PDB file of all heavy atoms in Angstrom:
ATOM      1  N   ASN V  96     151.695  92.569  72.374  1.00 97.00           N
ATOM      2  CA  ASN V  96     151.734  94.007  72.060  1.00 97.00           C
ATOM      3  C   ASN V  96     150.937  94.862  73.007  1.00 97.00           C
ATOM      4  O   ASN V  96     150.986  96.053  73.051  1.00 97.00           O
ATOM      5  CB  ASN V  96     151.309  94.279  70.643  1.00 97.00           C
ATOM      6  CG  ASN V  96     149.792  94.460  70.470  1.00 97.00           C
ATOM      7  OD1 ASN V  96     149.026  93.686  71.049  1.00 97.00           O
ATOM      8  ND2 ASN V  96     149.341  95.343  69.677  1.00 97.00           N
ATOM      9  N   VAL V  97     150.151  94.146  73.913  1.00 98.00           N
ATOM     10  CA  VAL V  97     149.365  94.864  74.910  1.00 98.00           C
ATOM     11  C   VAL V  97     150.300  95.226  76.109  1.00 98.00           C
ATOM     12  O   VAL V  97     150.957  94.377  76.611  1.00 98.00           O
ATOM     13  CB  VAL V  97     148.156  94.006  75.421  1.00 98.00           C
ATOM     14  CG1 VAL V  97     147.382  94.692  76.468  1.00 98.00           C
ATOM     15  CG2 VAL V  97     147.200  93.671  74.225  1.00 98.00           C
ATOM     16  N   THR V  98     150.229  96.533  76.480  1.00 97.00           N
ATOM     17  CA  THR V  98     151.176  96.968  77.506  1.00 97.00           C
ATOM     18  C   THR V  98     150.600  96.842  78.951  1.00 97.00           C
ATOM     19  O   THR V  98     151.338  96.941  79.864  1.00 97.00           O
ATOM     20  CB  THR V  98     151.600  98.446  77.315  1.00 97.00           C
ATOM     21  OG1 THR V  98     150.380  99.239  77.233  1.00 97.00           O
ATOM     22  CG2 THR V  98     152.334  98.600  76.013  1.00 97.00           C
ATOM     23  N   VAL V  99     149.319  96.595  79.062  1.00 98.00           N
ATOM     24  CA  VAL V  99     148.620  96.431  80.327  1.00 98.00           C
ATOM     25  C   VAL V  99     149.120  95.151  81.007  1.00 98.00           C
ATOM     26  O   VAL V  99     149.222  94.123  80.351  1.00 98.00           O
ATOM     27  CB  VAL V  99     147.090  96.418  80.179  1.00 98.00           C
ATOM     28  CG1 VAL V  99     146.418  96.057  81.490  1.00 98.00           C
ATOM     29  CG2 VAL V  99     146.638  97.742  79.608  1.00 98.00           C
ATOM     30  N   LYS V 100     149.387  95.190  82.333  1.00 97.00           N
ATOM     31  CA  LYS V 100     149.817  93.982  83.024  1.00 97.00           C
ATOM     32  C   LYS V 100     148.817  93.465  84.077  1.00 97.00           C
ATOM     33  O   LYS V 100     148.795  92.361  84.468  1.00 97.00           O
ATOM     34  CB  LYS V 100     151.164  94.292  83.784  1.00 97.00           C
ATOM     35  CG  LYS V 100     152.296  94.507  82.790  1.00 97.00           C
ATOM     36  CD  LYS V 100     153.587  94.736  83.527  1.00 97.00           C
ATOM     37  CE  LYS V 100     154.731  94.953  82.534  1.00 97.00           C
ATOM     38  NZ  LYS V 100     155.800  95.726  82.983  1.00 97.00           N
ATOM     39  N   ASP V 117     138.867  99.945  73.932  1.00 98.00           N
ATOM     40  CA  ASP V 117     140.207 100.306  73.553  1.00 98.00           C
ATOM     41  C   ASP V 117     141.182 100.152  74.746  1.00 98.00           C
ATOM     42  O   ASP V 117     140.824 100.503  75.871  1.00 98.00           O
ATOM     43  CB  ASP V 117     140.254 101.756  73.020  1.00 98.00           C
ATOM     44  CG  ASP V 117     141.512 102.093  72.241  1.00 98.00           C
ATOM     45  OD1 ASP V 117     142.584 102.248  72.877  1.00 98.00           O
ATOM     46  OD2 ASP V 117     141.480 102.091  70.996  1.00 98.00           O
ATOM     47  N   TRP V 118     142.411  99.662  74.523  1.00 98.00           N
ATOM     48  CA  TRP V 118     143.313  99.475  75.597  1.00 98.00           C
ATOM     49  C   TRP V 118     143.693 100.738  76.345  1.00 98.00           C
ATOM     50  O   TRP V 118     144.098 100.679  77.470  1.00 98.00           O
ATOM     51  CB  TRP V 118     144.583  98.774  75.082  1.00 98.00           C
ATOM     52  CG  TRP V 118     144.323  97.238  74.852  1.00 98.00           C
ATOM     53  CD1 TRP V 118     144.279  96.675  73.601  1.00 98.00           C
ATOM     54  CD2 TRP V 118     144.081  96.249  75.826  1.00 98.00           C
ATOM     55  NE1 TRP V 118     143.983  95.306  73.770  1.00 98.00           N
ATOM     56  CE2 TRP V 118     143.856  95.046  75.159  1.00 98.00           C
ATOM     57  CE3 TRP V 118     144.009  96.276  77.228  1.00 98.00           C
ATOM     58  CZ2 TRP V 118     143.583  93.853  75.819  1.00 98.00           C
ATOM     59  CZ3 TRP V 118     143.736  95.060  77.865  1.00 98.00           C
ATOM     60  CH2 TRP V 118     143.538  93.885  77.190  1.00 98.00           C
ATOM     61  N   SER V 119     143.630 101.915  75.639  1.00 98.00           N
ATOM     62  CA  SER V 119     143.935 103.175  76.294  1.00 98.00           C
ATOM     63  C   SER V 119     142.974 103.475  77.412  1.00 98.00           C
ATOM     64  O   SER V 119     143.307 104.308  78.341  1.00 98.00           O
ATOM     65  CB  SER V 119     143.948 104.288  75.264  1.00 98.00           C
ATOM     66  OG  SER V 119     142.653 104.385  74.660  1.00 98.00           O
ATOM     67  N   GLN V 120     141.752 102.843  77.429  1.00 98.00           N
ATOM     68  CA  GLN V 120     140.788 103.111  78.468  1.00 98.00           C
ATOM     69  C   GLN V 120     141.132 102.424  79.768  1.00 98.00           C
ATOM     70  O   GLN V 120     140.563 102.654  80.794  1.00 98.00           O
ATOM     71  CB  GLN V 120     139.403 102.634  77.990  1.00 98.00           C
ATOM     72  CG  GLN V 120     138.804 103.492  76.866  1.00 98.00           C
ATOM     73  CD  GLN V 120     137.515 102.859  76.345  1.00 98.00           C
ATOM     74  OE1 GLN V 120     137.567 102.093  75.382  1.00 98.00           O
ATOM     75  NE2 GLN V 120     136.420 103.230  76.912  1.00 98.00           N
ATOM     76  N   VAL V 121     142.117 101.513  79.717  1.00 98.00           N
ATOM     77  CA  VAL V 121     142.539 100.782  80.987  1.00 98.00           C
ATOM     78  C   VAL V 121     144.049 100.967  81.177  1.00 98.00           C
ATOM     79  O   VAL V 121     144.710 100.098  81.761  1.00 98.00           O
ATOM     80  CB  VAL V 121     142.138  99.244  80.918  1.00 98.00           C
ATOM     81  CG1 VAL V 121     140.642  99.120  81.068  1.00 98.00           C
ATOM     82  CG2 VAL V 121     142.625  98.597  79.672  1.00 98.00           C
ATOM     83  N   GLY V 122     144.580 102.038  80.731  1.00 96.00           N
ATOM     84  CA  GLY V 122     145.963 102.382  80.983  1.00 96.00           C
ATOM     85  C   GLY V 122     146.975 101.837  79.979  1.00 96.00           C
ATOM     86  O   GLY V 122     148.194 101.910  80.209  1.00 96.00           O
ATOM     87  N   GLY V 123     146.522 101.348  78.849  1.00 97.00           N
ATOM     88  CA  GLY V 123     147.468 100.773  77.865  1.00 97.00           C
ATOM     89  C   GLY V 123     147.617 101.703  76.679  1.00 97.00           C
ATOM     90  O   GLY V 123     147.276 102.881  76.737  1.00 97.00           O
ATOM     91  N   GLN V 124     148.120 101.113  75.623  1.00 96.00           N
ATOM     92  CA  GLN V 124     148.369 101.861  74.412  1.00 96.00           C
ATOM     93  C   GLN V 124     147.061 102.070  73.651  1.00 96.00           C
ATOM     94  O   GLN V 124     146.093 101.367  73.964  1.00 96.00           O
ATOM     95  CB  GLN V 124     149.419 101.167  73.496  1.00 96.00           C
ATOM     96  CG  GLN V 124     148.841 100.000  72.715  1.00 96.00           C
ATOM     97  CD  GLN V 124     148.570  98.700  73.475  1.00 96.00           C
ATOM     98  OE1 GLN V 124     148.513  98.727  74.715  1.00 96.00           O
ATOM     99  NE2 GLN V 124     148.454  97.606  72.764  1.00 96.00           N
ATOM    100  N   LYS V 125     147.056 103.003  72.705  1.00 97.00           N
ATOM    101  CA  LYS V 125     145.750 103.216  71.984  1.00 97.00           C
ATOM    102  C   LYS V 125     145.683 102.123  70.891  1.00 97.00           C
ATOM    103  O   LYS V 125     146.415 102.133  69.890  1.00 97.00           O
ATOM    104  CB  LYS V 125     145.763 104.614  71.307  1.00 97.00           C
ATOM    105  CG  LYS V 125     144.497 104.906  70.555  1.00 97.00           C
ATOM    106  CD  LYS V 125     144.097 106.342  70.581  1.00 97.00           C
ATOM    107  CE  LYS V 125     142.693 106.601  70.033  1.00 97.00           C
ATOM    108  NZ  LYS V 125     141.611 105.788  70.650  1.00 97.00           N
ATOM    109  N   SER V 126     144.868 101.132  71.132  1.00 97.00           N
ATOM    110  CA  SER V 126     144.549 100.113  70.098  1.00 97.00           C
ATOM    111  C   SER V 126     143.306  99.333  70.538  1.00 97.00           C
ATOM    112  O   SER V 126     142.991  99.199  71.689  1.00 97.00           O
ATOM    113  CB  SER V 126     145.813  99.142  69.975  1.00 97.00           C
ATOM    114  OG  SER V 126     145.818  98.235  70.985  1.00 97.00           O
TER     115      SER V 126
END
Side-chain angles (χ1 to χ4, degrees):
N96 86 319
V97 175
T98 56
V99 173
K100 290 181 180 156
D117 198 283
W118 285 109
S119 61
Q120 292 172 270
V121 289
Q124 79 283 19
K125 184 148 187 56
S126 76

